[in-house]
Amino acid sequence: MRAVPDGRGGTVLPLLAGDGPLALRRTGPPGGTGAHVTVVGAMTAPLGGDRLRIEAEAAAGARLTVGASAATVSLPGRGGEQARYDVRLTVGAGAELRWLPEPLIAARGSDLTMTTRARLAPGARLVLREEQVLGRHDEPSGRLAARLTVEYEGRPLLDQELSFGPGTAPGWDGPAVLGGHRAVGQLLLVAPDLGDHAAELADVPAEYGRAALTALAGPALLVTAIAPDGRHLRTLLDGYLRRFSAT
């Protein structure tokens, strides 16, 4: 998908094409200043052995919001093959991209590697939310490796990799990492006018999970959260999203 300014203060989508399990639909209120796209799962995916890729660009001056109609469930293939899901985001000068998909659920027996890479031009704005739920209700987690890489003005801003599930890094579900929680997520906000913010921990009851706010070496803030389930995780992240929505 590609979003560009329409010359009248709005944004249009000259390119919107999906294939296989990834169907793309124009959504959102008509006549707004930004374009809205919803990713619809046209079939069950990713399965073991699948190779999926989605690309989104907000050209200079455009505003694009991308969401999803439902959670993405990673499922095992017949032969235990690994699946890949790659997301590539480009945000031009003065453009804004809000990447707000639904959670990724690592079902029992699945094996998924997911990479998200974002490139931001000067003055670009990005709101990016990622949520991983480790297993469906009352089942153990599948294997999941998720890497998030962000460049701002050609320089590295963030590069992190998380691995969960059986056979991955030792202690991934121990007290030093998840502490028994089954959902993990991050919210990244990049904007030239964010201002200065000190690191902090969310003031919430322990049973709701944990969230930490960190200022990155650039015009960016990163919220990292763990929670007992997807509902509590979304509550934690949405609290910060509302707090900075006017920025």
Side-chain angles (χ1 to χ4, degrees), residues 5 11 51 76 133 136 200 244:
T11 299
R51 298 291 184 268
V133 179
R136 294 170 293 191
E200 64 178 57
F244 294 105

Side-chain angles (χ1 to χ4, degrees), residues 6-61:
D6 64 2
R8 303 186 300 274
T11 299
V12 294
L13 295 164
L15 175 61
L16 187 66
D19 192 13
L22 300 177
L24 308 179
R25 300 288 184 263
R26 291 179 174 88
T27 53
T33 58
H36 295 254
V37 174
T38 297
V39 181
V40 179
M43 61 183 70
T44 301
L47 296 172
D50 284 352
R51 298 291 184 268
L52 306 179
R53 182 182 177 101
I54 187 167
E55 300 179 2
E57 178 187 0

Side-chain angles (χ1 to χ4, degrees), residues 32-92:
T33 58
H36 295 254
V37 174
T38 297
V39 181
V40 179
M43 61 183 70
T44 301
L47 296 172
D50 284 352
R51 298 291 184 268
L52 306 179
R53 182 182 177 101
I54 187 167
E55 300 179 2
E57 178 187 0
R63 297 180 62 189
L64 173 63
T65 298
V66 182
S69 62
T72 297
V73 182
S74 173
L75 295 169
R78 292 184 177 180
E81 304 95 333
Q82 184 184 78
R84 289 193 60 90
Y85 190 179
D86 299 318
V87 177
R88 300 294 179 262
L89 310 176
T90 304
V91 191

Side-chain angles (χ1 to χ4, degrees), residues 210-222:
R210 289 286 184 264
L213 171 70
T214 305
L216 302 182
L221 297 173
L222 176 67

Side-chain angles (χ1 to χ4, degrees), residues 16-198:
L16 187 66
D19 192 13
L22 300 177
L24 308 179
R25 300 288 184 263
R26 291 179 174 88
T27 53
T33 58
H36 295 254
V37 174
T38 297
V39 181
V40 179
M43 61 183 70
T44 301
L47 296 172
D50 284 352
R51 298 291 184 268
L52 306 179
R53 182 182 177 101
I54 187 167
E55 300 179 2
E57 178 187 0
R63 297 180 62 189
L64 173 63
T65 298
V66 182
S69 62
T72 297
V73 182
S74 173
L75 295 169
R78 292 184 177 180
E81 304 95 333
Q82 184 184 78
R84 289 193 60 90
Y85 190 179
D86 299 318
V87 177
R88 300 294 179 262
L89 310 176
T90 304
V91 191
E96 177 182 283
L97 174 60
R98 297 172 63 85
W99 185 260
L100 302 170
E102 292 301 302
L104 170 65
I105 301 173
R108 179 178 185 173
S110 63
D111 187 356
L112 176 66
T113 294
M114 183 171 184
T115 63
T116 301
R117 297 179 181 174
R119 293 183 176 179
L120 283 62
R125 305 171 74 93
L126 174 68
V127 177
L128 183 149
R129 182 184 68 211
E130 289 191 337
E131 299 165 305
Q132 294 94 25
V133 179
L134 306 177
R136 294 170 293 191
H137 178 69
D138 201 27
E139 76 170 7
S141 174
R143 291 169 55 94
L144 172 63
R147 183 172 182 179
L148 172 61
T149 306
V150 182
E151 294 181 4
Y152 185 78
E153 296 184 356
R155 301 189 303 272
L157 178 66
L158 175 66
D159 191 349
Q160 69 173 24
E161 185 170 358
L162 306 173
S163 296
F164 307 107
T168 59
W172 65 271
D173 58 349
V177 185
L178 293 181
H181 293 90
R182 293 174 54 86
V184 59
Q186 43 275 331
L187 175 69
L188 176 66
L189 303 107
V190 184
D193 51 358
L194 275 176
D196 296 327
H197 296 274

